[in-house]
Amino acid sequence: MDLLDGRLKFRHLTLLIAVYECGSVVRAAESLHLTQPAATRTLRELEAVAELPLFVRVPRGMRPTVYGEALVGHARAVVAEVRRAEEHLTGLRQGREGTVTVGTLLAGANVLLPRAVARLKRERPRLTVVVREGTPDVLHPALLGGELDVIVGRMGTAPGEGEGEKVRQRTLYREPIRLAVRAGHPLLTGGGRDGASPADGEGPGGGKGGEGSEGSGPGGIAPTDGEGAGGSRPDRIAPTDGEGAGGSRPDRIAPTDGEGAGGSDRGGISLTDALAHPWILPVEQTALRQELGALFVERGLSLPADRVECTSILTMRALLLQTDMVALLPELVLRDDEQLAALPVELPSVGRTVGVTEAAHRTRTPALEALLRHLDEEAALLRASLGGGREKCVSESLSER
């Protein structure tokens, strides 16, 4: 067998992929606008070049052999590279057009990626950005198969044997993971720490959040806007030390260890206290779930039995706002959400390193180069923000540009 002797044609590869995806020669021929005899002849030519059977007939079509399974992966990569070459040449000819396809790990880059894409679109409005969300076991094969240009999100070991040598990864920043609850949650208000100030005539639970903790149980509904004395929102966090009524917006991220009475596990709230409420956990396929499981084992605890397993940020946020659930969220996500707050519970071994993952030997298109540049610039701002510990570092830097 010699696949480089000139007999292998591009049409062979496109038909191979079509038969594999369609499951029959008839449907493959229709998708490629070929006649069935022409498609059958092309498939026989390919099997003659490979000197191996690539498909076997089954009652409802064609099933790939082990050789067909192996060859189709390479065919997809070749076809993807040719498409990428076309986009590269088109981009060079037309300047600012093209497409970049980004894979994002679930809850992996909720702040970084939108900001970078927004800057990219301001710079190149005719550029198309396609974002696909998934778990590592789905995104990494798509990257290696040429369906994605880059993966943005939490860094980790590439799934699959030997795949680590096929990708290159670059770290952008590391971000803490916090235990998140709705503002006004019983864990915050009951202890009189960093929580919402009680409305007039209400106990330490404050508004309906307090009533939920005493009567409706951990699934109590969060207070709505307009409730509380003077029309103020009871689900807002009271100012921190040194910030009076005229001060800046209160920082809803609780102090870390050594920052006073509100420090982790010091002000009456611990990981065990949080287990009295329902939890939202990452799914088992995520690295975050593995790190959390290891932390619970280290502390002699079991994972919450009353739980929801979820990776959708929108679903998690809705559940947090409507119930007394506890969830794991990145610190930057919490900073941008006035209705959520972080519990002062230390999670020293749980965090995430955010970065980019590319196929190791793939040529970057101009569109991908532009996106990577904006990712680097936004990541620098986020690193400064995380280092300073205050959201204002980002907003000030953005306003200066």
Side-chain angles (χ1 to χ4, degrees):
M1 181 197 328
D2 184 1
L3 298 182
L4 299 178
D5 63 1
R7 291 182 297 156
L8 182 64
K9 307 297 183 184
F10 196 75
R11 58 187 172 84
H12 293 139
L13 301 182
T14 56
L15 178 67
L16 173 68
I17 297 170
V19 174
Y20 180 87
E21 293 178 346
C22 297
S24 79
V25 174
V26 174
R27 290 191 291 272
E30 291 175 352
S31 69
L32 297 176
H33 306 290
L34 299 173
T35 64
Q36 181 180 348
T40 301
R41 184 171 60 253
T42 301
L43 181 58
R44 287 174 180 167
E45 291 174 0
L46 177 58
E47 290 183 320
V49 171
E51 300 177 2
L52 292 166
L54 302 178
F55 292 91
V56 294
R57 292 190 177 277
V58 294
R60 296 188 177 181
M62 305 284 282
R63 177 173 56 82
T65 65
V66 64
Y67 308 113
E69 287 275 4
L71 187 57
V72 76
H74 295 287
R76 281 173 167 166
V78 170
V79 172
E81 276 300 315
V82 173
R83 288 198 184 112
R84 208 177 310 277
E86 179 184 1
E87 292 175 3
H88 195 165
L89 295 175
T90 300
L92 291 174
R93 184 181 69 230
Q94 298 180 348
R96 293 177 174 265
E97 295 185 2
T99 301
V100 59
T101 306
V102 186
T104 177
L105 298 170
L106 299 170
N110 303 87
V111 176
L112 171 68
L113 183 58
R115 293 183 180 182
V117 170
R119 292 184 62 175
L120 177 66
K121 290 296 292 180
R122 285 195 296 269
E123 177 185 279
R124 304 186 179 202
R126 299 183 67 179
L127 183 73
T128 300
V129 181
V130 179
V131 179
R132 297 179 181 171
E133 190 176 63
T135 50
D137 58 314
V138 173
L139 294 183
H140 279 269
L143 177 69
L144 296 177
E147 299 173 40
L148 300 175
D149 293 307
V150 66
I151 298 174
V152 180
R154 184 184 177 118
M155 302 280 285
T157 303
E161 184 178 355
E163 285 191 6
E165 300 177 356
K166 300 178 182 178
V167 300
R168 60 173 179 263
Q169 296 183 317
R170 185 162 52 88
T171 299
L172 297 178
Y173 62 88
R174 181 163 176 82
E175 178 180 12
I177 298 294
R178 310 299 297 269
L179 286 185
V181 296
R182 64 175 176 83
H185 190 282
L187 285 171
L188 294 173
T189 60
R193 302 169 51 259
D194 299 328
S197 300
D200 292 345
E202 295 174 350
K208 294 184 180 179
E211 294 167 5
S213 64
E214 295 173 3
S216 60
I221 301 301
T224 56
D225 291 345
E227 297 171 354
S232 64
R233 291 174 47 193
D235 61 342
R236 291 295 299 274
I237 301 302
T240 55
D241 292 344
E243 291 178 350
S248 62
R249 179 185 127 190
D251 187 355
R252 290 164 294 98
I253 302 298
T256 56
D257 193 25
E259 290 185 332
S264 171
D265 296 330
R266 291 171 149 195
I269 300 178
S270 66
L271 187 59
T272 305
D273 296 327
L275 290 175
H277 296 269
W279 277 52
I280 306 172
L281 295 181
V283 297
E284 292 184 358
Q285 296 88 343
T286 59
L288 182 56
R289 172 66 173 269
Q290 297 170 9
E291 290 181 3
L292 181 66
L295 177 66
F296 271 66
V297 170
E298 177 187 327
R299 299 196 181 184
L301 300 171
S302 299
L303 287 174
D306 186 357
R307 68 184 188 235
V308 172
E309 297 189 2
C310 174
T311 50
S312 166
I313 287 288
L314 291 176
T315 302
M316 290 171 65
R317 185 178 185 275
L319 285 172
L320 288 174
L321 293 180
Q322 296 178 49
T323 71
D324 286 340
M325 286 184 168
V326 178
L328 291 150
L329 285 177
E331 180 169 320
L332 289 172
V333 172
L334 282 173
R335 287 187 190 179
D336 287 343
D337 198 320
E338 295 183 355
Q339 294 180 284
L340 299 180
L343 292 177
V345 176
E346 186 100 354
L347 303 175
S349 59
V350 180
R352 66 171 188 169
T353 301
V354 177
V356 294
T357 303
E358 301 174 72
H361 305 294
R362 186 174 300 157
T363 303
R364 292 175 178 172
T365 64
L368 178 57
E369 289 278 9
L371 175 62
L372 292 174
R373 173 167 49 83
H374 289 303
L375 285 169
D376 287 340
E377 293 170 356
E378 288 296 335
L381 296 174
L382 294 177
R383 283 196 303 271
S385 171
L386 290 167
R390 290 294 181 266
E391 179 187 35
K392 116 177 139 171
C393 297
V394 176
S395 61
E396 288 177 352
S397 299
L398 292 172
S399 64
E400 291 172 1
R401 290 203 305 268

